[in-house]
Amino acid sequence: MAELGYDPARLPPGQYITEKWPVLHAGDVPSYPDLSAWTLRVFGEIERELELSWEELNRLPQTSNTQDIHCVTRWSRFDMRFEGVHWLELAKLAQPKPAARFVVAHAEQGFTSNVPLSFLEADDALLATRANGEPLAPEHGYPLRLVIPSKYFWKSAKWLRGIELTSVDRPGFWERYGYHNDADPWREERYSF
Ligand SMILES: Nc1nc2c(c(=O)[nH]1)N[C@H]1C(S)=C(S)[C@@H](COP(=O)(O)O)O[C@H]1N2
Ligand SMILES: [Mo]
């Protein structure tokens, strides 16, 4: 690790560094011949439901951040630069109700993941359209994925199509298969058994 020039304190327990970007998911990679039928829905405990087209999403203010990502299968990759739209831009339009405390991210093919709303509001979170200067590759979630770098990466739903705000936490796809609900890589919250 030292020879790679990384600060070992950045690596959570039980993880190793990879220079590649592995691909992990259940099911197939969706294909989008064009994005005219694509929408992002924001619904649940909000004042105003949203259904944004690809153009509308991309007209919102864009931001970027550089983060380390940690997969529960033990690889970590440092200095991933993501670009896209921060949740708070959508929250301005959707206006979460006071009851909104949790998020269910809805992806293609019924995939879901759950996080407390505070993790979506955090500075390091992003609805990402680009990674490392390029549009997301199909296998990494094109056209839009969630990025929640302070949780194991399974929370970061690829092929994101909806953000649902809820008052009660609802386990997502991997969480129902025995992955830890909280998924903090620094506490090694990998599995719930
Ligand atoms: N839609 C969807 N998103 C998903 C998954 C999935 O199965 N479906 N798997 C998760 C898991 S387990 C991981 S580790 C990361 C992997 O992201 P990557 O393939 O871009 O590295 O995506 C997450 N997002
Ligand atoms: Mo994963």
Side-chain angles (χ1 to χ4, degrees):
M1 246 156 297
E3 62 268 28
L4 294 173
Y6 292 126
D7 176 0
R10 285 169 67 183
L11 194 64
Q15 298 291 112
Y16 66 87
I17 293 176
T18 177
E19 303 272 297
K20 302 192 193 74
W21 189 1
V23 173
L24 283 107
H25 53 258
D28 303 320
V29 175
S31 69
Y32 298 94
D34 76 274
L35 291 174
S36 60
W38 184 96
T39 58
L40 179 69
R41 259 187 90 204
V42 180
F43 60 105
E45 296 285 349
I46 55 169
E47 297 295 343
R48 196 169 146 240
E49 258 199 40
L50 305 178
E51 188 158 10
L52 299 175
S53 69
W54 177 244
E55 285 73 27
E56 288 168 329
L57 178 75
N58 284 280
R59 272 202 297 273
L60 293 173
Q62 306 284 312
T63 183
S64 70
N65 61 48
T66 301
Q67 302 294 342
D68 302 343
I69 60 176
H70 311 293
C71 177
V72 71
T73 62
R74 300 187 181 271
W75 57 266
S76 291
R77 192 172 175 209
F78 287 177
D79 297 322
M80 295 286 292
R81 182 181 163 82
F82 292 104
E83 298 166 60
V85 176
H86 195 276
W87 160 252
L88 293 179
E89 296 299 335
L90 297 178
K92 282 180 202 164
L93 305 172
Q95 298 165 30
K97 292 182 178 171
R101 290 186 48 223
F102 299 94
V103 175
V104 178
H106 292 263
E108 298 288 356
Q109 300 162 7
F111 181 88
T112 55
S113 70
N114 59 311
V115 288
L117 180 55
S118 58
F119 282 81
L120 195 60
E121 293 169 337
D123 277 348
D124 60 0
L126 204 57
L127 306 181
T129 54
R130 300 171 65 82
N132 301 327
E134 310 274 349
L136 286 173
E139 64 274 21
H140 289 300
Y142 174 88
L144 183 72
R145 81 173 298 159
L146 191 59
V147 176
I148 305 279
S150 58
K151 301 279 195 192
Y152 282 123
F153 210 41
W154 84 74
K155 297 281 188 183
S156 294
K158 306 194 272 193
W159 314 297
L160 185 69
R161 295 297 303 273
I163 298 280
E164 181 185 4
L165 268 49
T166 64
S167 57
V168 176
D169 197 14
R170 240 166 55 209
F173 179 87
W174 291 113
E175 292 79 6
R176 290 197 299 272
Y177 276 89
Y179 283 49
H180 198 291
N181 196 55
D182 298 334
D184 182 340
W186 296 98
R187 303 173 67 162
E188 286 212 77
E189 293 170 337
R190 297 177 190 273
Y191 308 107
S192 59
F193 43 81

